[in-house]
Amino acid sequence: MKRDKLRDFYRRIFVSRPFEVYISLAVFTTIAILFGFTFKWFFLEANWEVVSANLPLYLFGIFPDDQRWRPATWLVILICLSIVTIWGPRWWWLRKILPLTWIGVVPLGIFLLSGGLGILPVASRSWGGLTLTIFLMMCSSLIAFPLGVILAIARQSELPIVKYLSAIYIEVIRAIPLIAVLFFGQLLIPLFLPLGLEINRVSRAIFAFSLFVAAYVAEDIRGGLQSIPISQEEAAKSLGLSKLQITWLILVPQALIIALPALGNQAIGLLQNTTLMAILGLVELLGISQSLLANPAFIGSYIEVYLWLAFVYWFVCTFMALLSRHLEKTMSFSKPMLD
């Protein structure tokens, strides 16, 4: 009986579809050979000393050795806060203060990195590595998000001047490459400043990123506003709510829920776009890698360095995607309002 079943299986697969079988065998064989070569190179031939010997540089840049506890503390707080957010706090009071805690992490990072109030000041040119990458992303997001909300509401305004000015800003920024905006922030802004006033490179980068991302955030939120049925606005008017109350209490919260996936993508894209700052002299993750590859001791270790860099970005972006997905689930209770 078993022999008959095997014979039928052989006829159905190897006789009736020989071409598909041979193609599948060739593909699996190629994958196995490539996997074998990759495994051999990864564990036996690759020189991972370029990564293991420079982990502090990848994490903190050239931050002073005796002060590295400060960026390390900030990164640990971020990791703990992310884990608590993804798992979901059990206590109601912790759920209430969690959004404020996320907002407070940014000024805490500024204080720990820059110093002051009894902590040794450290110049922004000493910041670098993963710390600087995440700092640029979080500060830019904190500024770009409310600016994008204001631009989206302004573009929906009934006042022609407000509507057209916001539309012009959004369309102009979206038509300019990000690298051009960053060059403007790094090279042209100092020319317009009065004598004696100087803004460091990190602040100029945050300013440029915020202006650029705010235009895309505005379009995401505008899409959320347009997807809300007009009947909700009419019902709110019948209850006697003002235009301002309708916008901020009814329309904007629902638009944010709808736009959450797109906003999460914007945050991940912003993190990846921080690599452009390596062109302009900031030693974030990519800048650290380029400086290490210029070291005669690590010349030729391009594959190891960029594989490590890809893994770090994949890990951080995956963590951010999990945070965004959790936020979507926790706020999904408001979605029935859209029906």
Side-chain angles (χ1 to χ4, degrees):
M1 192 69 175
K2 291 183 179 179
R3 185 176 300 176
D4 293 337
K5 289 183 178 180
L6 288 175
R7 188 180 297 109
D8 292 338
F9 176 79
Y10 175 81
R11 288 176 179 175
R12 286 199 310 268
I13 302 299
F14 291 92
V15 176
S16 61
R17 297 180 178 179
F19 181 75
E20 289 86 347
V21 171
Y22 294 141
I23 291 295
S24 301
L25 290 175
V27 170
F28 284 124
T29 303
T30 304
I31 292 175
I33 293 173
L34 291 176
F35 180 79
F37 280 114
T38 303
F39 184 87
K40 179 183 177 182
W41 175 86
F42 191 88
F43 290 100
L44 301 177
E45 299 176 1
N47 179 22
W48 295 109
E49 185 181 0
V50 64
V51 175
S52 60
N54 297 288
L55 277 178
L57 278 176
Y58 276 110
L59 289 175
F60 314 120
I62 57 174
F63 213 85
D65 294 347
D66 58 339
Q67 299 295 320
R68 284 179 175 171
W69 62 270
R70 291 153 53 177
T73 301
W74 189 61
L75 291 178
V76 169
I77 292 174
L78 280 176
I79 293 173
C80 295
L81 193 57
S82 301
I83 293 174
V84 170
T85 303
I86 292 175
W87 282 355
R90 298 181 179 178
W91 300 285
W92 65 270
W93 58 269
L94 187 57
R95 290 195 295 268
K96 293 290 185 181
I97 66 172
L98 200 57
L100 295 177
T101 307
W102 273 107
I103 296 175
V105 164
V106 175
L108 177 63
I110 297 174
F111 170 69
L112 289 175
L113 294 178
S114 61
L117 298 178
I119 299 180
L120 180 68
V122 176
S124 60
R125 61 177 176 270
S126 299
W127 305 359
L130 180 63
T131 303
L132 180 59
T133 296
I134 295 179
F135 183 80
L136 288 173
M137 184 271 297
M138 294 198 64
C139 289
S140 302
S141 299
L142 187 62
I143 298 173
F145 177 73
L147 183 58
V149 173
I150 294 173
L151 286 171
I153 296 174
R155 193 163 186 178
Q156 299 289 102
S157 174
E158 297 176 356
L159 299 175
I161 296 179
V162 175
K163 179 178 181 179
Y164 290 123
L165 285 178
S166 61
I168 291 172
Y169 171 82
I170 292 172
E171 297 303 329
V172 168
I173 291 295
R174 293 175 66 200
I176 299 176
L178 175 56
I179 188 64
V181 178
L182 294 176
F183 268 110
F184 172 81
Q186 293 296 313
L187 303 177
L188 297 182
I189 287 180
L191 300 179
F192 295 98
L193 297 177
L195 293 176
L197 180 61
E198 183 179 355
I199 302 177
N200 59 58
R201 285 185 175 184
V202 174
S203 299
R204 297 201 298 267
I206 293 172
F207 176 76
F209 275 123
S210 302
L211 291 182
F212 184 82
V213 176
Y216 289 85
V217 171
E219 286 299 282
D220 293 336
I221 296 176
R222 186 171 71 92
L225 289 172
Q226 290 180 339
S227 65
I228 299 174
I230 191 64
S231 58
Q232 293 199 20
E233 187 173 355
E234 295 173 351
K237 288 180 180 179
S238 66
L239 294 175
L241 296 180
S242 65
K243 182 67 176 179
L244 184 62
Q245 290 175 323
I246 294 173
T247 301
W248 290 105
L249 299 180
I250 297 177
L251 300 182
V252 171
Q254 296 184 73
L256 292 178
I257 294 173
I258 297 171
L260 268 179
L263 295 176
N265 287 336
Q266 292 293 344
I268 293 174
L270 176 58
L271 177 74
Q272 296 171 348
N273 286 332
T274 56
T275 55
L276 294 174
M277 294 310 301
I279 304 175
L280 301 176
L282 287 183
V283 284
E284 39 70 64
L285 277 174
L286 183 59
I288 291 291
S289 300
Q290 292 177 342
S291 62
L292 287 176
L293 290 174
N295 188 336
F298 304 115
I299 289 179
S301 301
Y302 294 97
I303 299 179
E304 292 89 344
V305 167
Y306 287 115
L307 275 178
W308 163 250
L309 202 60
F311 170 76
V312 173
Y313 276 105
W314 170 83
F315 180 80
V316 177
C317 291
T318 301
F319 221 73
M320 293 175 61
L322 290 175
L323 283 172
S324 176
R325 197 171 305 162
H326 174 77
L327 190 59
E328 293 175 32
K329 290 181 180 179
T330 55
M331 299 187 70
S332 62
F333 64 91
S334 299
K335 287 185 178 179
M337 296 174 60
L338 303 176
D339 297 333

